[in-house]
Amino acid sequence: RCIHEKRIGRDELWFPFVPLAPQLQVAERAVKACEQGGIALLQSPTGTGKTVALLAAVLAWQRRHFAAGAAPQVIYGVRTHAQLRQAVGELRKMPYRPRMAVIGSREHTCTNSEVIARARQGRTPLNHACRQATRLAAQQERLGISAGSQSCQGACEAYATLGGPKHAQRVFNKCGRRGEIWDVEDLIGACKAPAGDGGCPYYTSHILAGNAEIVFCPHNYIMDPAVSQCGSHHRGRWSLRGRVIIIDEAHNLEQGCRDAGSVEVSLVELRQLSSALTALPTRHRNLRVRVRGQDVPCADVCAELVRVPQRLAAFLEQQANAPQASVPLAGLRQSWGLGQSTAGTAECLRAAGLTEHGLLGRAAEELAVELTDVLLRLQVEGRAVPEDAVVLGVLDRIRELLAKLQLTVRHPSSYVMGISSSSTGSSGSSSGPSIAAWLMAPGVIFESFAAKAHAVLLASGTLAPIAGLSAELSTSAAFVARSQPEGPLEAVHVVEPVQVLVSTVARFPGSGRVAVSSFGSWQDGDFLDDLGSAIASLAEAIPAGVLCFFPSYAAMDSAVSAWQGGSRRIWERLQRAKGDIQVEPRSSERLAEICSAYTGAARKPRGALCFAVYRGKVSEGLSFEDDLCRGVVCIGVPFPQARDPMVIAKRLWNDSQRVQGAGGAVGTLSGEQWYELQAYRAVNQALGRCVRHLYDYGALILLDARWSSKGDRSRGLRRYLARWLQPLVEEWPRIVASNNAEQTWRDLGDRLRIHFDVAPREVRRLKGLGDGASQASASQISSQISTQTSDVAAFWAAASWWNSAASRSNAAEQAMEPDFLNRNTVDENVPPGNHQGAKRPRPLPDSSAAAAAAAAALEPIASWEEVLEGQPAEAPGGAWGCAAAASVLAASMALARKEVLACFLRHDGVARGSAALLGQRWEARLSAVPCFDVSVSVPETEVEQGHWQRLLADQLPEQLQAESWQDLAVDTVAEAFLLAESFVAAESAARPAHAMGENQPRRLRVRIACLDHVQCSRFHWDDVPLRAIAVLAGPGTEVLPEVHADRSSFERLYELPMTAQGSMSSEAWNSAVVGAANTADVVMQTPPGWSVLLKGSEWEPGCAGAVHRSPPASGRRILLQVDYSDAIQEVPGQGTAAQATSRGSEASVEPSIAMTVASGFSAVLAAAQSLLHLEPR
């Protein structure tokens, strides 16, 4: 049933629930791509309802076009058959009931046990055994032999009854009728019937697909030309032309396309292919093959087909005997197609004789197809010999060689060819030299289906780093011409920040050495001991199921063997921590058994631990919800095998294309960038195993120093994590210079235990809200602008208290409780709208009551909520332009909205307590602190490295460096570091890319000051992109909501002569801005423990900038400030404007003028600077 309707463009989308914000983003982009015939890249984290959003969008768009006459078929591709069931399950929940179909391989749909057994006994592919049985069934039907008779042995009875009326009616009723949603299991059930009335599920599904409005299928039906362009009789209506193609789980698209276009064959195999084809006519001298209406002798057909393997074999033998060339690829005698090589791929193809006209054409493929049919007929008629079964596999291999060599000839500049000295066969023995044609540009395969399609949607929960995928697909003309101009979508998660703990760990416990794994580490006993101790510590702190990912099977095997052998104590500790330990198998046969054992143990009190491999079977395609995965531990950085010839070739090829510039195929990703992005994408995919839905929670641990932004061996790789994760990352050790690894791990263990105590309670609270919430409340939760209703209430209660005159007059005496902002507080004795003289707030036990009381007492909150819920700026009550957030993630989302100009951000604070508690410590000593103003300039790319904290601390007054003040000084510098991190993370995540400019990175100024004067008491905005301000002690910065800011008044004030502006008091200036309103009643003052992020006029073109001022109250303040260094104007002979302000009493104008000039009035900058140097009259 439809619970919610949402109009996007001309389409009415139906959802089975109130859609989340990421779902609406995905749906909007999908509808737009369908409408415009475009290509969309859509990343939406697992658990945000990506599949529902895609289905709602394309089916709504399709429905409208059907109503107008006709609409394209939708093809929904997934990686595995398990994901087919999941996608159909999501459609089952939705109001849509299209005519649908699910197609898959014979291995998952064949129900004929005799055919399956025959394939296993003969060691032949199931598709050959199936085709043989179906041909025999067709022949028996032509001869009038009834199914099940003695003379019909070997024929597929299910295929023989495929066209029976009973089977057709039953399938139509259960699967073919519009309104029926089914999966493979349902189809198999519909095809089973007594008395020989059943049918073949495999062929039935393809028949249903021909008339379906949406078809679910594996990726190879789209990406593999040998499958997508197959002309079998049962797929006569299958085509990708004009379809809407959805490729879900598209994070492997690049690798999948390159694999689909690449081929490698050894000299031994080529000789076997030639021998089998040459011997076939000797066994069947009179055999003829019907080709295009003519009967061609079998000898002529085989002579034509054998030319390709024979020429390749001759070329290989020639190169094997030639002197070895000096090539950069390890293990290869020769290579073609690299920038460093004088020989190109086209030259290699000519030397091998593969460019002859017609050799690789469609005619050769037709010959292979027709000869296959003839051999199957011989088997049905009983005239085949055992050797003929081998030829069927040979013909399949010939068709693959023909198809991929055709691509190589058509796109030689996109291929690298190489000859190796030896290769390893399936039995493990050497099969001699081999030749490979490796597709380097995945856009070649992408173009093969995207150019035909009406629209293409590439979706995944982990496309990140998404820029790399775009660059790799840029060799496709369709991708370049039809990609959405707004770029890829990177939606954020819907979970609260409290539900996800993300930590990088740079040192091992015990030894304390840097946690970095390399190729040789896995043979180092000390490294393995340290690693085992670290995993055991994490397993002890994380409940239920834990997945631990290794860079490779070899690395995992080395670790497990070491822990089970010489380091037995580690394995015993792991067993004490978890009730069961499973290891991902290399083969797929035991995967189901391993997963079943793990999931069963994970739900038990002691939980389970599973060792797995990046890019393996556990890392994707399986859903580990709730207790099945409460934690993911990522070991190392899983770069591809550096010595793999294909990897080396890809790196060199990308570099050569980059050098070629505009004429090259890629031109954007270097070989090194491509190489590293493979690792980052694999880690993002592994991290996606945890936190699978709105009410899930867990911990993500990156156990390698390279993910950290500071410390030994750090590389700041955290920036390559999914965008929504980056603001949540915590780095351990918290203090870079700390060498106490044991203490770090104890603290991390405590942090994990606290997380798994708090997160479940928060989830229960969210479920309570969700069960009884209205649609508006659900929309507010999904918007993620404010993480908790209680946070909103706390902010407004705190802001109103600090706005009161009584609070400002004796703020020191009425310092708040350390946990004030964690309570929901409001003074119920104060009438609504009257906060003058408000007393100290008292805690209310019921958070919902507190939120309701705050909303009733504070009139602005209703209008502010309207803004957050996406109401237009002209909505009743106006746009307040302000937001409150309890995390950097929420702040980033708020700032990403054009109407939000200022965001108040609550700080968790430093290790010794919250930011509010740090403020109390300053309040107690404020009178004894000398005035100071210190700052440090640091490149924004180095903010997270933290080395500048020491420089900033060294500039503090000597009094603050004394032992009695040292803790306070250290915590203040740490708070400045957190503010700088928040500043960089929020700006990079929220600021529009087109406004960033090309001169990045810029330098940031981080400032700590104790001021005894007002910097700028006039309302103004800043000519900077963004500014962050936190006041630890004293009154906070005041922000003027947009509804009270008369922007036109600024223009009138600027038109006044400079002398008139200089002589105007701050009160007169501010009154001109706010009109008749009492300034103190309309401003929003930053409460203790909060910072404020203020957009400036340079945030993006047309941004008005947040209007704010310094608090007019006198007294000292401890101020933290972060902005860009080039935004601080230099006053000739005076240093920075901020420094000049501290000496403002020497000038003839009030100090606020100087700060006003420096903070944003660039239009009068020159005149204002001259005012600063006027002599006293």
Side-chain angles (χ1 to χ4, degrees):
R1 63 196 182 104
C2 178
I3 301 297
H4 186 84
E5 295 183 7
K6 177 68 177 181
R7 175 166 288 278
I8 296 179
R10 292 185 290 170
D11 297 300
E12 194 74 29
L13 276 64
W14 299 339
F15 289 91
F17 43 72
V18 178
L20 304 170
Q23 288 180 302
L24 295 179
Q25 292 176 309
V26 170
E28 182 178 359
R29 288 291 195 92
V31 168
K32 187 174 181 179
C34 292
E35 189 69 15
Q36 299 177 352
I39 297 174
L41 269 69
L42 310 172
Q43 176 177 277
S44 186
T46 303
T48 55
K50 164 176 52 69
T51 302
V52 169
L54 290 170
L55 291 172
V58 297
L59 292 177
W61 179 85
Q62 187 189 59
R63 184 182 66 240
R64 175 168 61 85
H65 281 263
F66 270 133
Q73 186 183 62
V74 176
I75 299 178
Y76 196 111
V78 296
R79 290 195 65 249
T80 66
H81 285 78
Q83 291 168 343
L84 282 176
R85 290 192 295 271
Q86 295 172 10
V88 172
E90 294 299 319
L91 178 60
R92 205 186 299 271
K93 302 173 186 176
M94 302 183 68
Y96 298 95
R97 288 297 178 266
R99 184 176 286 113
M100 60 156 292
V102 181
I103 57 178
S105 66
R106 289 176 171 88
E107 284 75 12
H108 290 84
T109 53
C110 181
T111 57
N112 192 323
S113 58
E114 294 181 1
V115 173
I116 296 173
R118 196 179 305 126
R120 290 176 178 172
Q121 292 170 2
R123 295 184 178 181
T124 59
L126 179 60
N127 64 322
H128 289 162
C130 171
R131 290 162 68 182
Q132 179 182 351
T134 56
R135 280 198 174 267
L136 182 58
Q139 180 182 5
Q140 302 293 357
E141 185 178 3
R142 287 194 300 271
L143 296 175
I145 302 175
S146 61
S149 64
Q150 186 69 24
S151 60
C152 199
Q153 287 185 353
C156 180
E157 182 179 349
Y159 185 83
T161 58
L162 192 62
K166 293 183 179 180
H167 172 69
Q169 186 63 48
R170 187 171 55 254
V171 169
F172 176 77
N173 291 337
K174 295 186 177 181
C175 302
R177 190 195 307 271
R178 178 181 278 109
E180 297 297 327
I181 305 299
W182 53 273
D183 57 20
V184 172
E185 287 73 17
D186 297 321
L187 177 63
I188 291 175
C191 289
K192 288 181 178 179
D197 290 333
C200 172
Y202 174 77
Y203 287 100
T204 299
S205 67
H206 283 80
I207 294 170
L208 290 171
N211 197 40
E213 296 163 7
I214 181 170
V215 179
F216 296 89
C217 65
H219 280 173
N220 63 322
Y221 278 81
I222 301 171
M223 293 165 50
D224 189 345
V227 179
S228 65
Q229 299 173 17
C230 175
S232 298
H233 67 280
H234 62 281
R235 299 182 59 201
R237 299 181 64 183
W238 175 264
S239 173
L240 300 180
R241 187 171 300 280
R243 271 40 172 185
V244 173
I245 297 177
I246 302 173
I247 299 182
D248 204 351
E249 304 299 328
H251 50 272
N252 283 322
L253 178 67
E254 177 215 330
Q255 182 69 43
C257 286
R258 287 195 292 109
D259 289 345
S262 300
V263 66
E264 183 172 359
V265 60
S266 69
L267 180 59
V268 171
E269 185 182 5
L270 288 170
R271 289 171 174 168
Q272 291 172 346
L273 297 177
S274 301
S275 176
L277 289 173
T278 303
L280 181 63
T282 63
R283 297 193 300 270
H284 304 280
R285 297 183 183 277
N286 299 322
L287 187 66
R288 307 185 74 84
V289 181
R290 189 78 174 172
V291 181
R292 297 184 179 181
Q294 297 182 352
D295 290 332
V296 181
C298 174
D300 293 347
V301 173
C302 291
E304 181 65 26
L305 293 177
V306 82
R307 290 202 298 162
V308 170
Q310 283 181 345
R311 292 190 181 189
L312 282 174
F315 182 67
L316 255 179
E317 290 173 341
Q318 175 191 351
Q319 293 297 321
N321 296 325
Q324 181 168 339
S326 176
V327 293
L329 301 187
L332 294 187
R333 293 185 58 86
Q334 183 59 279
S335 66
W336 296 266
L338 296 176
Q340 294 84 347
S341 174
T342 58
T345 300
E347 181 178 335
C348 173
L349 295 169
R350 284 193 296 271
L354 298 177
T355 56
E356 179 184 327
H357 179 72
L359 180 66
L360 300 173
R362 295 286 298 177
E365 288 190 52
E366 290 181 22
L367 289 176
V369 171
E370 295 301 331
L371 182 56
T372 299
D373 288 344
V374 169
L375 292 177
L376 288 171
R377 187 170 66 249
L378 289 180
Q379 291 185 342
V380 168
E381 295 171 353
R383 295 191 291 142
V385 296
E387 290 84 355
D388 292 345
V390 176
V391 181
L392 290 172
V394 167
L395 291 172
D396 281 349
R397 182 62 164 160
I398 291 291
R399 290 174 60 191
E400 180 188 7
L401 281 173
L402 291 172
K404 294 181 178 179
L405 289 174
Q406 282 180 37
L407 287 173
T408 310
V409 171
R410 288 201 297 265
H411 307 279
S413 62
S414 298
Y415 274 83
V416 167
M417 295 191 71
I419 293 179
S420 65
S421 301
S422 62
S423 59
T424 303
S426 57
S427 62
S429 60
S430 175
S431 56
S434 65
I435 185 169
W438 293 321
L439 177 61
M440 299 286 102
V444 170
I445 295 295
F446 184 82
E447 179 75 9
S448 69
F449 62 85
K452 304 174 185 176
H454 171 77
V456 180
L457 308 179
L458 306 178
S460 176
T462 50
L463 287 177
I466 202 167
L469 177 60
S470 299
E472 285 292 288
L473 294 180
S474 63
T475 51
S476 164
F479 181 83
V480 173
R482 295 165 56 191
S483 290
Q484 292 185 326
E486 53 268 54
L489 170 67
E490 294 185 71
V492 297
H493 215 301
V494 293
V495 297
E496 305 282 0
V498 73
Q499 293 172 247
V500 189
L501 173 63
V502 189
S503 297
T504 66
V505 187
R507 292 188 179 274
F508 286 128
S511 69
R513 68 176 179 176
V514 178
V516 173
S517 65
S518 62
F519 180 77
S521 299
W522 303 102
Q523 306 304 321
D524 184 344
D526 292 338
F527 170 84
L528 294 175
D529 285 349
D530 286 343
L531 177 62
S533 297
I535 296 174
S537 297
L538 295 170
E540 290 165 352
I542 301 175
V546 177
L547 299 178
C548 183
F549 288 95
F550 289 80
S552 66
Y553 283 106
M556 180 175 67
D557 292 344
S558 295
V560 172
S561 297
W563 298 335
Q564 290 179 336
S567 301
R568 183 69 189 176
R569 58 180 179 79
I570 293 179
W571 191 258
E572 292 172 351
R573 184 180 172 192
L574 291 170
Q575 289 178 318
R576 288 194 299 271
K578 294 298 178 184
D580 187 41
I581 303 175
Q582 295 293 332
V583 180
E584 178 184 344
R586 289 177 181 259
S587 62
S588 300
E589 285 76 10
R590 295 188 59 241
L591 180 63
E593 174 190 346
I594 296 298
C595 288
S596 177
Y598 168 79
T599 55
R603 293 189 175 99
K604 296 179 180 178
R606 291 182 59 196
L609 174 65
C610 180
F611 293 136
V613 175
Y614 296 109
R615 308 181 189 91
K617 295 168 282 294
V618 173
S619 67
E620 52 186 304
L622 300 175
S623 183
F624 295 94
E625 297 180 354
D626 302 319
D627 282 348
L628 296 185
C629 183
R630 289 300 180 200
V632 169
V633 180
C634 290
I635 301 170
V637 184
F639 297 113
Q641 290 289 337
R643 299 178 183 177
D644 184 338
M646 183 185 289
V647 172
I648 300 173
K650 175 63 175 170
R651 296 173 72 174
L652 292 173
W653 185 86
N654 271 40
D655 285 338
S656 69
Q657 300 300 307
R658 191 179 180 91
V659 170
Q660 293 174 23
V666 177
T668 50
L669 276 186
S670 69
E672 186 66 20
Q673 289 172 331
W674 171 87
Y675 178 73
E676 294 197 354
L677 288 180
Q678 306 310 302
Y680 309 147
R681 188 172 291 122
V683 171
N684 278 301
Q685 184 64 20
L687 294 175
R689 300 310 90 203
C690 190
V691 188
R692 306 286 294 181
H693 56 82
L694 178 62
Y695 299 125
D696 208 349
Y697 59 90
L700 311 177
I701 309 297
L702 296 158
L703 188 53
D704 195 288
R706 287 169 289 185
W707 294 103
S708 301
S709 60
K710 48 187 178 292
D712 295 339
R713 304 291 300 274
S714 64
R715 288 187 55 193
L717 300 184
R718 54 182 284 186
R719 65 185 181 276
Y720 294 110
L721 297 177
R723 188 174 179 179
W724 74 274
L725 284 176
Q726 293 180 25
L728 306 179
V729 177
E730 300 176 358
E731 296 192 7
W732 296 82
R734 304 296 285 171
I735 302 175
V736 180
S738 174
N739 292 319
N740 192 341
E742 286 298 329
Q743 183 60 48
T744 295
W745 278 85
R746 281 195 294 269
D747 292 344
L748 176 58
D750 292 342
R751 177 73 176 91
L752 286 167
R753 292 181 184 91
I754 292 172
H755 172 72
F756 286 106
D757 175 58
V758 173
R761 290 190 277 114
E762 178 65 13
V763 165
R764 288 193 293 271
R765 186 189 70 81
L766 288 174
K767 285 184 176 180
L769 284 176
D771 292 341
S774 64
Q775 290 188 12
S777 299
S779 177
Q780 180 181 355
I781 294 172
S782 67
S783 72
Q784 276 291 107
I785 298 301
S786 175
T787 60
Q788 297 182 32
T789 304
S790 59
D791 289 332
V792 176
F795 167 74
W796 283 102
S800 65
W801 183 76
W802 275 85
N803 278 337
S804 66
S807 300
R808 283 201 299 268
S809 63
N810 50 74
E813 291 79 20
Q814 298 189 17
M816 309 299 289
E817 300 286 344
D819 60 345
F820 165 69
L821 290 174
N822 294 323
R823 301 179 183 178
N824 298 287
T825 56
V826 68
D827 193 341
E828 67 273 22
N829 297 322
V830 180
N834 179 12
H835 293 278
Q836 299 299 320
K839 298 181 180 180
R840 186 173 180 171
R842 294 195 295 269
L844 291 178
D846 184 3
S847 61
S848 60
L858 297 166
E859 187 272 334
I861 194 171
S863 298
W864 174 66
E865 284 183 341
E866 288 176 359
V867 174
L868 293 189
E869 291 174 12
Q871 298 298 322
E874 61 269 22
W880 282 78
C882 302
S887 70
V888 179
L889 173 63
S892 302
M893 298 184 64
L895 292 173
R897 304 177 63 150
K898 287 184 178 294
E899 66 267 28
V900 175
L901 299 179
C903 182
F904 297 92
L905 173 62
R906 190 182 72 181
H907 276 255
D908 292 332
V910 293
R912 294 184 177 86
S914 67
L917 181 56
L918 179 61
Q920 287 188 42
R921 293 161 61 195
W922 269 112
E923 290 280 5
R925 294 187 170 189
L926 198 55
S927 59
V929 180
C931 291
F932 63 88
D933 194 341
V934 300
S935 62
V936 63
S937 178
V938 57
E940 66 175 349
T941 54
E942 299 179 12
V943 165
E944 294 179 340
Q945 297 180 14
H947 57 76
W948 52 270
Q949 295 181 64
R950 182 71 268 171
L951 299 176
L952 186 60
D954 289 343
Q955 296 184 54
L956 294 173
E958 291 184 7
Q959 178 179 335
L960 270 66
Q961 299 191 33
E963 184 176 355
S964 59
W965 288 77
Q966 195 169 26
D967 285 350
L968 184 59
V970 169
D971 287 351
T972 302
V973 172
E975 193 68 32
F977 172 75
L978 293 179
L979 184 64
E981 275 193 319
S982 302
F983 178 93
V984 172
E987 197 237 14
S988 61
R991 192 177 176 198
H994 64 81
M996 288 292 194
E998 300 180 356
N999 297 323
Q1000 301 290 339
R1002 301 172 65 179
R1003 296 187 70 85
L1004 266 64
R1005 184 187 72 147
V1006 184
R1007 177 189 180 200
I1008 302 177
C1010 176
L1011 306 176
D1012 61 356
H1013 59 271
V1014 178
Q1015 289 195 105
C1016 183
S1017 57
R1018 293 187 175 194
F1019 285 127
H1020 63 281
W1021 65 84
D1022 301 325
D1023 284 337
V1024 297
L1026 188 68
R1027 173 164 287 164
I1029 301 174
V1031 179
L1032 298 180
T1037 299
E1038 297 180 347
V1039 178
L1040 182 65
E1042 279 297 285
V1043 71
H1044 295 302
D1046 183 0
R1047 292 279 177 176
S1048 61
S1049 65
F1050 283 106
E1051 298 179 6
R1052 293 192 297 270
L1053 289 170
Y1054 294 157
E1055 292 174 355
L1056 295 175
M1058 285 301 303
T1059 54
Q1061 293 185 40
S1063 61
M1064 184 180 296
S1065 66
S1066 296
E1067 290 76 11
W1069 179 284
N1070 294 335
S1071 296
V1073 173
V1074 301
N1078 184 356
T1079 303
D1081 293 337
V1082 297
V1083 296
M1084 297 167 55
Q1085 190 171 53
T1086 309
W1090 292 66
S1091 61
V1092 61
L1093 298 168
L1094 302 167
K1095 286 183 183 177
S1097 58
E1098 294 183 10
W1099 176 262
E1100 64 176 322
C1103 181
V1107 178
H1108 61 283
R1109 69 174 183 179
S1110 299
S1114 60
R1116 292 190 173 186
R1117 297 194 302 155
I1118 302 297
L1119 176 78
L1120 306 180
Q1121 181 175 315
V1122 180
D1123 46 27
Y1124 288 105
S1125 295
D1126 54 7
I1128 310 301
Q1129 305 293 339
E1130 292 289 338
V1131 180
Q1134 299 279 343
T1136 66
Q1139 293 168 338
T1141 304
S1142 66
R1143 300 187 295 272
S1145 58
E1146 301 173 4
S1148 61
V1149 294
E1150 60 176 303
S1152 61
I1153 292 291
M1155 196 56 194
T1156 298
V1157 171
S1159 298
F1161 301 131
S1162 57
V1164 294
L1165 178 59
Q1169 287 180 342
S1170 65
L1171 283 176
L1172 288 172
H1173 300 288
L1174 288 176
E1175 292 295 329
R1177 295 184 180 179

